[in-house]
């Protein structure tokens, strides 16, 4: 819905109302952006700058990339970033493949066994697996200290599956029937007709999966004894909220203050999300419109 | 993302699963595994084998996803039997001794369990009272912005925190509100005393609610914005012609129009009352201590993984899961009685 101007019935808001709204919106936006800004500023400030300011900086007086060179020259954080990247890429690809396959099958009206299979999947939504039983399943599958333990237990998300299935159902069946009459097999139909039409939903669901994989930290704590395999979230928890000091692992912190290094780690854990987000965000709108039309 | 979509389908999901729960008809196993007994039937009702063959491509591409659900979800569902065992990891599920309801008896007499229940209920109530209305208020504010550009910009900004992990959110709050944080720095510059928020048990409730609002309020506006965009413009016009001002239009047109959505979300929230989240509380439990910081899920974690008391932890987890299903069911009953469409339909 796009509105080009104030409708006549609304009347002109009084200056006081407009000012109040502007203030409210500015406060909301600043509450979100300001904390993130101090992270950027502190991570880029020189050690002296940070010390003089008492641990954080709002506007760096002299810039220094020392914190970034410090943590990217190898060591546990560099490795954790690589682990997280690999898990996110591989996990998202696997999750999308499995979700698309299952969602497409469940979206076809007369597929053999469709109804019971759908119930089988949807029941898990009502009773999600408990922490301890899931742990035993992962253990029995021999996934301890395996990167797969951060991927396989979260392969398909019921919500994502249901959204994807709904999107496939909204594709006009005439298109699919026409292709079938032309002799296309089910797989060709999925690849050449359904998937090209579903770019928006695949982008959004892909983002959801990627963000979930990138942000996952808890599972590595219970499934990994080998700390060198930790993803960035787990490492971040250890050093930022767990109270451990980075100095122990990073050696001499001559070029950057510990605060800058911590904030640089927060930055590096946030940056990929902030970079990908604007490209996928336009699809949210498309998705919401489709969803609203269907509802 | 299409939350309306999600809700519609979530309703469908609950609808079918609730019928299952109430009907109690067992056997969720797919008929794919049934033997093809009727393969010799006439052409109007093709036999199982022929139908499987016709749908083979579709069934094959569904296998990885189905295998995932069977192994991890149904496997874990079955794994709940350890709640009735004196589980020894070395012996496994088959070798461990059965203890009946002993874990549950212990649970009801365990003051630490009741402390976790109390903390969970307090935080859940705070979430309901303070978090639930926040996105509605923000959505009304956003909806009243006429300029599309400004609105899109504000939306982009407020959706973003939803995608940040709890580790980052907790770190940001420490940076802002911690003892050496930004706010305390400002206060001391102004010559005022500092505030103690992080690690202060008295401030824990407000802190976790503020974190939740910061992270999820913007994202939760999507559903309200979608509902608000469906409100009939002519009703506003008619109300305005009748002399209704901004406040009365809000009260008599906007809120009644989106009442079903509010009711549905409230029911969903009540049904998931105990699901207050895990990671946020796991990260901050130590900073305030278990007295204030222990909730049911962290209790399960620390009993099971820190103390190695797997059977007892699983019993507490199972207890919470069963209460959760009962809550969803009850919330729907109430919704129907109030004349609103619930999560599932009768």
């Amino acid at each position: 819905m796009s509105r080009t101007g104030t409708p006549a019935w609304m009347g002109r808001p009084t200056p006081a109302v407009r000012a109040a709204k502007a203030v409210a919106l500015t406060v909301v936006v600043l509450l979100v952006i300001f904390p993130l800004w101090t992270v950027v500023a502190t991570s880029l400030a020189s050690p002296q700058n940070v010390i003089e300011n008492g641990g954080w900086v709002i506007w760096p007086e002299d810039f220094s990339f020392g914190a970034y060179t410090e943590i990217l020259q190898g060591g546990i954080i560099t490795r954790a970033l690589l682990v997280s990247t690999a898990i996110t890429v591989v996990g998202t690809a696997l999750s999308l493949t499995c979700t698309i396959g299952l969602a497409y099958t469940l979206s076809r009206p007369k597929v053999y066994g469709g109804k019971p299979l759908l119930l089988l999947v949807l029941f898990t939504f009502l009773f999600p697996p408990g922490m301890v039983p899931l742990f035993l399943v992962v253990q029995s599958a021999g996934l301890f200290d395996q990167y797969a333990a951060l991927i396989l237990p979260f392969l398909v998300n019921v919500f994502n599956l249901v959204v994807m299935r709904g999107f496939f159902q909204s594709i006009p069946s005439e298109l699919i029937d026409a292709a079938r009459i032309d002799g296309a097999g089910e797989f060709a139909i999925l690849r050449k007709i359904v998937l090209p039409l579903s770019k928006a939903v695949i982008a959004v669901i892909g983002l959801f999966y990627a963000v979930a994989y990138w942000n996952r930290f808890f599972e590595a704590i219970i499934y990994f004894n080998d700390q060198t395999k930790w993803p960035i979230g787990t490492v971040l928890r250890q050093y930022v909220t767990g109270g451990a000091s980075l100095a122990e692992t990073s050696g001499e912190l001559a070029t950057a203050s510990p605060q800058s290094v911590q904030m640089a780690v927060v930055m590096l854990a946030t940056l990929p999300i902030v970079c990908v987000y604007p490209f996928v965000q336009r699809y949210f709108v498309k998705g919401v419109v489709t969803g609203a039309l269907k509802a | 993302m299409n939350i309306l979509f999600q809700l519609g389908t979530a309703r469908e999901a609950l609808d079918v699963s609730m019928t299952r729960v109430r009907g109690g008809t067992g056997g969720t196993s797919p008929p794919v595994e049934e033997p093809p007994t009727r393969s010799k039937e006439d052409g109007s009702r093709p036999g199982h084998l022929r139908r499987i063959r016709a749908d083979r491509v579709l069934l094959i591409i569904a296998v990885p996803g189905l295998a995932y659900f069977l192994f991890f979800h149904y496997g874990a569902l079955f794994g709940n039997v350890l709640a009735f065992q004196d589980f020894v990891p070395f012996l496994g599920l088959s070798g461990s001794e059965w203890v009946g309801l002993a874990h549950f008896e212990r649970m009801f007499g365990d003051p630490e369990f009741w402390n976790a229940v109390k903390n969970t209920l307090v935080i859940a109530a705070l979430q309901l009272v303070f978090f639930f209305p926040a996105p509605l208020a923000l959505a009304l504010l956003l909806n009243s912005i006429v300029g599309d550009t400004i609105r899109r910009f504000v939306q982009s900004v407020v959706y973003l925190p939803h995608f940040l992990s709890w580790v980052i959110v907790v770190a940001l709050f420490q940076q802002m509100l911690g003892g050496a944080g930004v706010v305390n720095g400002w206060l001391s510059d102004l010559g005022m005393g500092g505030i103690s928020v992080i690690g202060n048990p008295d401030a824990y409730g407000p802190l976790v609610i503020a974190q939740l609002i910061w992270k999820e309020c913007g994202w939760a506006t999507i559903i309200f914005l979608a509902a608000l965009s469906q409100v009939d413009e002519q009703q506003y016009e008619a109300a305005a012609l009748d002399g209704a001002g901004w406040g009365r239009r809000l009260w008599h047109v906007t809120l009644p129009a989106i009442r079903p959505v509010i009711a549905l979300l409230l029911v969903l929230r009540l049904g998931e009352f105990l699901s207050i989240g895990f990671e946020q509380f796991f990260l901050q439990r130590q900073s305030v201590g278990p007295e204030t910081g222990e909730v049911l899920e962290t209790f399960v974690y620390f009993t099971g993984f820190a103390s190695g008391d797997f059977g007892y932890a699983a019993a507490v987890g199972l207890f919470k899961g069963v209460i959760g299903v009962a809550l969803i069911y009850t919330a729907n009953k109430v919704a129907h009685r109030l004349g609103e469409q619930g999560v599932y339909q009768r």
Side-chain angles (χ1 to χ4, degrees):
Chain A
M1 192 176 77
S2 84
R3 289 179 293 183
T4 43
T6 315
W9 52 263
M10 220 186 247
R12 269 199 82 68
T14 63
V17 170
R18 293 171 56 132
K21 265 195 215 172
V23 169
L25 285 173
T26 313
V27 168
V28 167
V29 169
L30 281 181
L31 280 176
V32 174
I33 290 183
F34 182 70
L36 294 169
W37 172 252
T38 64
V39 170
V40 179
T42 307
S43 74
L44 288 173
S46 70
Q48 269 175 323
N49 201 182
V50 174
I51 293 164
E52 281 163 15
N53 263 284
W56 45 269
V57 175
I58 291 171
W59 196 255
E61 275 145 31
D62 34 19
F63 286 93
S64 152
F65 288 95
Y68 292 91
T69 50
E70 193 81 49
I71 57 180
L72 287 177
Q73 66 186 211
I76 193 156
I77 291 163
T78 317
R79 191 162 38 203
L81 285 167
L82 290 175
V83 167
S84 282
T85 308
I87 284 171
T88 304
V89 171
V90 174
T92 307
L94 284 175
S95 286
L96 275 179
T97 310
C98 295
T99 309
I100 289 171
L102 185 54
Y104 182 65
T105 301
L106 294 178
S107 74
R108 295 299 96 210
K110 278 182 230 153
V111 69
Y112 183 83
K115 201 77 192 257
L117 290 179
L118 183 65
L119 288 175
L120 180 93
V121 169
L122 293 181
F123 178 75
T124 63
F125 169 81
L126 196 66
F127 207 98
M131 192 188 296
V132 179
L134 185 60
F135 175 80
L136 290 187
V137 171
V138 173
Q139 189 188 36
S140 72
L143 294 179
F144 266 34
D145 275 331
Q146 303 280 321
Y147 291 123
L150 300 186
I151 296 178
L152 294 183
F154 316 95
L155 198 57
V156 182
N157 176 290
V158 186
F159 265 129
N160 292 345
L161 179 81
V162 165
V163 170
M164 190 85 91
R165 172 176 170 264
F167 196 94
F168 289 156
Q169 281 175 325
S170 71
I171 293 174
S173 58
E174 291 84 5
L175 279 175
I176 292 166
D177 291 340
R180 196 171 288 130
I181 290 166
D182 288 346
E186 287 292 344
F187 196 66
I189 294 173
L190 176 62
R191 208 164 48 89
K192 290 191 179 139
I193 295 176
V194 176
L195 292 187
L197 287 171
S198 311
K199 277 184 198 141
V201 77
I202 292 173
V204 173
I205 300 289
L207 175 75
F208 290 166
Y209 276 128
V211 166
Y213 282 120
W214 181 263
N215 284 342
R216 194 155 279 134
F217 72 93
F218 171 70
E219 286 71 20
I221 298 173
I222 56 175
Y223 297 139
F224 288 8
N225 287 321
D226 182 358
Q227 298 199 357
T228 61
K229 290 184 171 175
W230 275 2
I232 187 69
T234 319
V235 173
L236 187 65
R237 179 217 164 232
Q238 184 86 337
Y239 296 121
V240 177
T241 67
S245 168
L246 269 171
E248 291 162 19
T249 48
S250 300
E252 289 290 299
L253 289 171
T255 52
S257 68
Q259 288 91 346
S260 292
V261 174
Q262 289 200 344
M263 289 306 120
V265 180
V266 174
M267 257 316 277
L268 290 175
T270 316
L271 204 62
I273 294 171
V274 179
C275 289
V276 176
Y277 171 76
F279 296 100
V280 184
Q281 203 220 350
R282 64 201 171 101
Y283 291 117
F284 293 166
V285 180
K286 212 170 167 182
V288 170
V289 172
T290 324
L293 285 179
K294 197 175 150 66
Chain B
M1 183 203 55
N2 26 25
I3 282 197
L4 265 191
F5 214 128
Q6 274 205 356
L7 272 177
T9 34
R11 197 187 304 168
E12 186 192 335
L14 283 166
D15 184 0
V16 281
S17 35
M18 290 309 285
T19 358
R20 293 206 68 76
V21 169
R22 282 193 294 176
T25 48
T28 30
S29 65
V32 182
E33 293 155 20
E34 280 177 22
T37 46
R38 285 186 290 174
S39 55
K40 284 194 289 180
E41 281 183 18
D42 55 52
S44 63
R45 283 179 63 199
H48 289 282
L49 198 59
R50 205 177 310 166
R51 287 185 57 196
I52 292 176
R53 188 170 295 160
D55 287 339
R56 66 184 183 281
V57 178
L58 288 176
L59 292 174
I60 287 169
I61 62 173
V63 163
L66 285 175
Y68 161 75
F69 279 105
L70 283 177
F71 186 75
F72 285 102
H73 286 255
Y74 285 87
L77 199 62
F78 171 75
N80 274 310
V81 296
L82 96 153
F84 306 95
Q85 286 186 337
D86 181 18
F87 183 75
V88 183
F90 176 69
L91 297 174
L93 280 183
S94 51
S96 295
E97 204 178 320
W98 293 92
V99 293
L101 296 174
H103 290 311
F104 293 93
E105 278 166 26
R106 176 181 159 197
M107 185 176 86
F108 287 118
D110 184 352
E112 287 179 24
F113 166 74
W114 288 113
N115 179 51
V117 170
K118 190 201 80 189
N119 290 335
T120 306
L121 291 177
V122 167
I123 289 167
L126 286 172
Q127 284 187 356
L128 191 66
V129 174
F130 294 102
F131 176 71
F132 185 79
L136 178 59
L138 183 57
L140 288 171
L141 177 65
L142 284 172
N143 195 51
S144 73
I145 305 172
V146 174
D148 260 353
T149 324
I150 298 179
R151 191 160 66 148
R152 286 222 187 97
F153 171 72
V154 179
Q155 277 176 292
S156 310
V157 170
V158 297
Y159 292 168
L160 178 66
H162 169 77
F163 296 96
L164 304 180
S165 83
W166 272 115
V167 183
I168 291 171
V169 176
V170 169
L172 288 176
F173 269 75
Q174 280 180 356
Q175 164 91 348
M176 286 291 118
L177 300 173
V182 175
V183 172
N184 273 321
W186 284 343
L187 289 176
S188 76
D189 285 352
L190 293 172
M192 291 194 278
I195 48 164
S196 160
V197 181
I198 309 292
N200 177 1
D202 294 329
Y204 191 61
L207 174 69
V208 294
I209 298 301
Q211 287 167 342
L212 183 68
I213 291 178
W214 190 82
K215 188 175 189 300
E216 300 294 342
C217 178
W219 186 249
T221 59
I222 289 186
I223 175 100
F224 288 116
L225 284 173
L228 286 169
S229 72
Q230 307 279 311
V231 179
D232 189 359
E233 197 105 344
Q234 290 184 348
Q235 286 192 15
Y236 284 125
E237 215 173 324
L241 283 176
D242 287 345
W246 175 83
R248 307 196 82 187
R249 287 202 298 266
L250 175 68
W251 187 253
H252 291 290
V253 180
T254 313
L255 288 180
I258 61 170
R259 198 184 63 169
V261 173
I262 299 175
L264 181 65
L265 288 177
L266 193 59
V267 165
L268 273 176
R269 186 58 225 148
L270 286 172
E272 300 200 320
F273 191 68
L274 292 179
S275 309
I276 57 174
F278 168 70
E279 294 184 344
Q280 184 190 9
F281 302 100
F282 169 73
L283 287 168
Q284 297 179 98
R285 174 185 177 271
Q286 269 94 338
S287 73
V288 290
E291 180 72 21
T292 320
E294 192 84 286
V295 295
L296 275 173
E297 295 235 26
T298 56
F299 182 77
V300 171
Y301 169 78
F302 284 100
T303 322
F305 296 92
S307 316
D309 210 342
F310 284 97
Y312 183 43
V316 175
L318 182 61
F319 177 76
K320 180 176 173 281
V322 171
I323 299 274
V325 174
L327 273 178
I328 296 180
Y329 183 74
T330 318
N332 276 282
K333 281 272 188 227
V334 175
H336 287 310
R337 188 139 316 157
L338 292 174
E340 299 289 354
Q341 204 178 39
V343 183
Y344 67 95
Q345 296 169 17
R346 270 193 275 205

